[in-house]
Amino acid sequence: MSVSGAPGPAGPVRAAIVGTGNIARYHVEALRALGRQVEVVAGVDVDEERLAAFADRHELPALFTDLGTMLREARPDLVHVCTPPGLHREQALACLRAGATALVEKPPALSLAEMDELAAAEGAEGPWFATVFQHRFGSGARRLQEVMATGVLGRPLVAICHTTWFREQEYFDVPWRGRWDTEGGGPTMGHGIHQIDLLVALLGEWTSVSALARQQARVMDTEDLSLAHVTFASGAVASVVNSVLSPREESYVRIDFEHATVELTHLYGYGDDDWRVTPAPGREEAVVNAWKAGESGVSSGHRAQFAHVVRALGEHRPPPVTSSDSARTMRLVAGIYASAFERRTITPADLAAGSPFHGRMDGSGPRW
Ligand SMILES: NC(=O)c1ccc[n+]([C@@H]2O[C@H](COP(=O)([O-])OP(=O)(O)OC[C@H]3O[C@@H](n4cnc5c(N)ncnc54)[C@H](O)[C@@H]3O)[C@@H](O)[C@H]2O)c1
């Protein structure tokens, strides 16, 4: 594939990685697992020692300490942006302007305003912007979407989306963590966002949110806990909890449909066995048969998403999770903060361009 950002059918997707810290390993390993569909052509980091160690371990062919130089010299089709969140906007824009599709780690940017800017920089035929939200891509989530579409589960009525994780105070010693200006938020934006994205992928547009956020135990700028209830256009309602204070860690999503309860219990990724389906009385056969017939065998994770990203690029389609899908998830995150800090129910209209929570997740400033 030679034309940056709009790869043709011939040859592998040429991918580069920017930011060779903790998460980058998952990227390079997942890309290599895709075999000859992808060639990892370069790595970039401002920390030369870290870059060299990473390159040694993963046999990167070309190393750069500057993104712009890499974009000019290596001319990748696809750039995996694995840097701290405060850099995502600027680096993704640089990739898009150089003609490379940007696949950016969560959170995709710091605000809805930044999301608008990124979407505006895409081309109709590429390059595109996409976010790493890997939990959409395990077979369990895809199977649930298929089964929901058949109608056998009935309407979604009530959902639970709880990300109750544990992070000691030292975790927030890393300079970019726990700050509005570099991470964009606390566990709502940084941790629970994975499951919030999955919830939104399953339940669609939300219409109102009412929330609170607290600094309960950690010393940092952002919240360490948020609780929300969300109403969806379908009429479903959901409880959303995001915590970094919970010694027994768990990621839990539950949707009670008219004809079955579907539950997912995991921590940082799930397989098929982490899903449980409980049919309502009289619905056993229909629900169980539909569930058994769906996709299976794929764990949620970077590899699962990248397979879809690479396929989409090969077919000249925007890769998932697209800029508009990402913006929808970010809008719910912004809605949670807006409701918590303004102490009122928020609708998507309250987050329009020009409103405080469109520009920053904490609105106009400190809230505690
Ligand atoms: N999808 C997931 O499950 C998941 C899990 C963990 C982290 N993340 C996300 O991945 C991103 C990175 O997190 P991490 O834990 O790997 O962080 P990290 O601090 O370990 O790594 C970031 C790397 O970026 C480098 N860097 C900083 N400025 C740079 C610049 N201007 N140009 C190039 N490189 C630069 C740093 O030197 C460092 O090596 C964050 O957005 C985080 O939220 C996602």
Side-chain angles (χ1 to χ4, degrees), residues 18-24 44-47 50 82-85 87-88 91 105-107 132 134 174 176-177 190 194 302:
V18 184
T20 55
N22 292 321
I23 203 64
V44 184
D45 205 298
V46 287
D47 181 330
R50 191 179 286 197
C82 302
T83 48
L87 295 168
H88 291 179
Q91 293 187 326
E105 265 296 351
K106 63 81 200 164
V132 178
Q134 68 266 28
V174 173
W176 60 266
R177 291 210 177 110
H194 278 299
H302 289 77

Side-chain angles (χ1 to χ4, degrees), residues 90-91 97 239 323 346:
E90 152 200 333
Q91 293 187 326
R97 286 171 185 155
S239 156
S323 56
I346 293 291

Side-chain angles (χ1 to χ4, degrees), residues 4-126:
S4 293
V13 170
R14 304 178 70 257
I17 295 181
V18 184
T20 55
N22 292 321
I23 203 64
R25 174 168 70 84
Y26 295 86
H27 284 249
V28 74
E29 287 173 358
L31 286 171
R32 292 261 161 80
L34 294 174
R36 281 187 293 181
Q37 300 176 72
V38 183
E39 185 187 348
V40 181
V41 296
V44 184
D45 205 298
V46 287
D47 181 330
E48 283 187 61
E49 255 176 56
R50 191 179 286 197
L51 176 65
F54 186 87
D56 253 13
R57 205 169 315 122
H58 299 288
E59 298 178 13
L60 297 190
L63 307 184
F64 298 87
T65 52
D66 174 69
L67 172 61
T69 312
M70 185 281 284
L71 289 166
R72 277 193 305 279
E73 294 185 11
R75 297 191 57 77
D77 302 305
L78 173 66
V79 180
H80 291 237
V81 178
C82 302
T83 48
L87 295 168
H88 291 179
R89 170 199 162 273
E90 152 200 333
Q91 293 187 326
L93 283 176
C95 296
L96 293 168
R97 286 171 185 155
T101 285
L103 176 60
V104 178
E105 265 296 351
K106 63 81 200 164
L110 296 184
S111 68
L112 299 178
E114 291 191 0
M115 294 304 293
D116 288 349
E117 239 184 306
L118 289 160
E122 293 179 300
E125 303 292 320

